[in-house]
Amino acid sequence: MAGAGISTPSGIPDFRTPGSGLYDNLKKYKVPYPEAIFDIDYFAYNPQPFFTLAKELYPGKYKPNYIHYFVRLLHEKGLLLRCYTQNIDGLERMAGIPPKKLVEAHGTFSAASCHLCYTSFPAKEAQDCIMNDRSPHCKVCYGVVKPDIVFFGEALPKSFDRFSKDFPEADLLIVMGTSLEVEPFANIVNAVRPNVPRLLINRDLVGPFITKTRKSRDLAELGDLCDVTRKFVRALNWQEDMEDVMRSHTL
């Protein structure tokens, strides 16, 4: 399970960190409240603030970091059942994690559709419009088209339901870079079997890792996510494998 914290080393701000988080730096978008920029009702009223932000977030401006490549390494070793991510930045895909191994719980820029009738729209055409300060419009109902990012007030993608099968099959759950505050994503941390260890790699204790009654198999390693991930890689003696993955992807 991954959240915005795995992408902050790539230069992408998370949402809730006081001072530096996205929600604390939205004045230039002129929204009435921070969450409005991802609110489907507000988008229907005024899509421009989201489109302005989308120009910053579209994949291509930022690059994967050590943490993304670590998840890729888990895949290369045949250990990754699935990566459930809250991120919409596409860096997991860019790191070479196959789409079939990803559940992008909060959506993706790799597809687009009308916010009214849900008719699919070419993602590249939508991106070209947005990057050139034009609003893309549906060819069926002329509603405003947006990337398939999940807004407040919208359902999560159907692929998210896969957790009910995946999590009972897992023998380890790694939770990285998330506040575990947004439902229903936060809840699936409890979907693994009771005897399955859960490892939190994070800046702070979150969710069930905070409580004194947390499971005996829960473990938290707090600190800078890249530093802790490197520590994990050294403990597994995977340094050369990690270097090979990063080198092969950047050649």
Side-chain angles (χ1 to χ4, degrees):
M1 294 175 64
I6 76 166
S7 291
T8 52
S10 295
I12 302 175
D14 64 12
F15 289 88
R16 291 177 171 78
T17 299
S20 63
L22 181 67
Y23 285 159
D24 271 5
N25 293 276
L26 288 176
K27 290 181 181 178
K28 64 180 178 180
Y29 301 109
K30 299 178 181 178
V31 289
Y33 54 94
E35 290 83 359
I37 205 159
F38 290 115
D39 186 287
I40 193 62
D41 292 331
Y42 188 80
F43 177 86
Y45 165 72
N46 180 13
Q48 200 52 52
F50 170 74
F51 286 155
T52 303
L53 175 63
K55 291 172 69 173
E56 296 293 316
L57 295 180
Y58 258 108
K61 182 175 181 180
Y62 301 96
K63 295 181 179 180
N65 61 60
Y66 192 89
I67 307 164
H68 299 103
Y69 288 118
F70 169 71
V71 183
R72 160 80 181 276
L73 179 59
L74 292 177
H75 163 66
E76 296 292 341
K77 288 184 170 291
L79 297 171
L80 182 67
L81 175 60
R82 208 83 59 199
C83 174
Y84 284 72
T85 180
Q86 294 173 285
N87 297 332
I88 59 174
D89 51 45
L91 293 184
E92 293 93 353
R93 288 174 181 247
M94 289 179 65
I97 301 168
K100 68 179 181 180
K101 289 289 184 176
L102 286 172
V103 172
E104 293 162 311
H106 292 168
T108 174
F109 281 103
S110 64
S113 58
C114 174
H115 89 283
L116 288 179
C117 71
Y118 307 110
T119 299
S120 294
F121 189 90
K124 182 63 169 63
E125 187 177 336
Q127 179 179 355
D128 289 344
C129 287
I130 292 168
M131 298 303 287
N132 288 284
D133 298 317
R134 302 193 312 271
S135 294
H137 286 276
C138 176
K139 294 175 173 61
V140 176
C141 74
Y142 205 68
V144 180
V145 167
K146 72 174 184 64
D148 284 349
I149 305 303
V150 178
F151 279 29
F152 296 112
E154 291 189 305
L156 268 60
K158 290 181 179 179
S159 61
F160 180 74
D161 294 336
R162 181 182 280 170
F163 84 87
S164 62
K165 181 177 183 295
D166 282 346
F167 277 54
E169 291 184 9
D171 53 16
L172 170 67
L173 174 63
I174 302 176
V175 182
M176 309 177 78
T178 173
S179 64
L180 287 182
E181 289 185 4
V182 179
E183 302 291 354
F185 187 90
N187 248 350
I188 65 175
V189 71
N190 297 312
V192 292
R193 287 169 285 127
N195 63 333
V196 169
R198 300 183 297 187
L199 171 63
L200 175 71
I201 300 177
N202 217 32
R203 189 185 54 213
D204 304 300
L205 292 175
V206 294
F209 297 91
I210 297 174
T211 63
K212 293 181 180 178
T213 57
R214 73 188 194 193
K215 297 178 182 178
S216 61
R217 289 178 176 265
D218 288 347
L219 177 66
E221 284 288 325
L222 303 183
D224 178 88
L225 263 67
C226 283
D227 290 344
V228 176
T229 304
R230 285 189 177 93
K231 177 182 175 183
F232 199 31
V233 167
R234 287 195 300 271
L236 293 164
N237 199 26
W238 286 356
Q239 297 99 314
E240 289 187 13
D241 296 329
M242 187 69 172
E243 290 173 6
D244 287 344
V245 163
M246 297 181 70
R247 188 184 304 114
S248 67
H249 195 254
T250 53
L251 287 176

